Amino acid sequence: MAHPWLTGISGHHLAALVEELARPWEVAVEDQRYRVRGGVRKRAARAGARHRLVFVDRLAATLIHLRHDLPHAVLGLLFGVDRSTITRAIAQLRTLVAKRGYAALDCPGCVCAPLEDVFAYAHAEGAELRLGATEVQVRRPRAGRGGRRAFVSGKKKQNTMKATVVADYRGRTLWTDTRRPGRMPDATVARAEGIDACFRHFSEVEVLLDDGYLGLRRDHPGQALTPARKPNRSALPEFHERWRQHRHAHSSDRITVEHAQLGGDV
């Protein structure tokens, strides 16, 4: 289950993650037990039931879920445990993985955790970023729940949750935000995550965007780069041909963020 095709990372990288995250996970588990007990433990160390799913398997299950979006019940069947065990493991570890951030490809040892780190990395390395939104279908909220319509995506016509992804020119994921209801426009999500402020503080960073971020292009010309607008019908044929070539080139440069949305590297 730790094969790179499943987890998305090499065995060496997985071993480094285990060494880095094992101790914080143990501390988080003991903190939770302390709150449940209401004090220090009274039994001897290592007394009581053992974890049926060891830490390495918990990390592998979390990476597989994040990369392939497999249901918890399926992962429970693969690892030989109950679905609830997988649910608890993913809830614990995905937070630790998110806090760790993402490795920068052209800067060995650099890890981008908050969005400001990503823009600072791009400013220092002269890198051009790619930004896009990805939507994941979710169950329809029960009737009578407030804000039920907020999950209906105008693009997919389904109940979805939306997340913003920032990648580099090689398709390496550098940052992802929290999931938001699918009805929220892409540009609104980007502004809510503080991308406006990052554009102002890092005025030399360029970001490739799609047509869903025209508002950002208007507010930050020369930084937020979207495809050229379609010329008027009365325009000469060479203008239409130039527009098609520009959109094709822009799409080819930006396609790496679409690949990153399918499953980024941690």
Side-chain angles (χ1 to χ4, degrees), residues 56-74:
V56 178
D57 289 341
R58 289 170 180 262
L59 180 59
T62 302
L63 295 178
I64 294 172
H65 172 72
L66 293 175
R67 186 171 182 84
H68 300 285
D69 200 27
L70 287 182
H72 295 181
V74 175

Side-chain angles (χ1 to χ4, degrees), residues 239-257:
F239 286 97
H240 286 273
E241 180 62 26
R242 190 182 307 166
W243 168 75
R244 283 191 290 268
Q245 293 177 358
H246 182 275
R247 287 187 68 90
H248 178 74
H250 184 92
S251 177
S252 298
D253 289 340
R254 189 185 164 275
I255 194 64
T256 56
V257 73

